[in-house]
């Protein structure tokens, strides 16, 4: 049978655990494990689902020839 005392213990315990987890997250101690978990799930997602590359993404490269062209081009 659930008593008022047991409900109070459950509420205080849940408040303590929630505060502890939020505090640890706020100070950044879980960031590494959260990023590793996110990376792992993204890798699983790409293995389980066939996704087409997003056509809105554009990759721009700059090499030495581009730099030399900018250096040698006079300003207008």
């Amino acid at each position: 049978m659930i008593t008022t005392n047991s409900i109070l213990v459950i509420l205080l315990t849940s408040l303590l655990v929630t505060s502890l987890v939020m505090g640890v997250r706020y100070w950044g101690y879980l960031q590494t494990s959260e990023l590793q978990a996110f990376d792992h799930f993204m890798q699983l997602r790409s293995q389980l689902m066939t996704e087409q590359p997003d056509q809105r993404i554009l990759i721009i490269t700059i090499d030495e020839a581009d730099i030399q062209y900018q250096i040698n081009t006079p300003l207008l």
Side-chain angles (χ1 to χ4, degrees):
M1 185 153 103
I2 298 177
T3 63
T4 306
N5 197 19
S6 64
I7 292 175
L8 184 61
V9 169
I10 291 170
L11 288 175
L12 288 175
T13 304
S14 66
L15 179 65
L16 178 68
V17 170
T18 301
S19 299
L20 181 66
V21 170
M22 288 178 64
V24 169
R25 282 199 76 224
Y26 177 78
W27 293 107
Y29 293 117
L30 295 178
Q31 184 175 13
T32 302
S33 57
E34 287 175 347
L35 290 175
Q36 287 174 345
F38 180 75
D39 185 47
H40 178 70
F41 285 126
M42 289 296 107
Q43 289 176 7
L44 281 177
R45 176 180 163 191
S46 67
Q47 292 173 2
L48 297 176
M49 299 172 47
T50 55
E51 295 179 339
Q52 298 298 322
D54 193 345
Q55 298 300 318
R56 300 172 293 176
I57 296 176
L58 175 66
I59 298 175
I60 299 174
T61 60
I62 299 174
D63 58 7
E64 188 62 32
D66 296 324
I67 295 171
Q68 292 304 319
Y69 175 79
Q70 288 296 320
I71 291 172
N72 296 328
T73 302
L75 296 175
L76 297 177

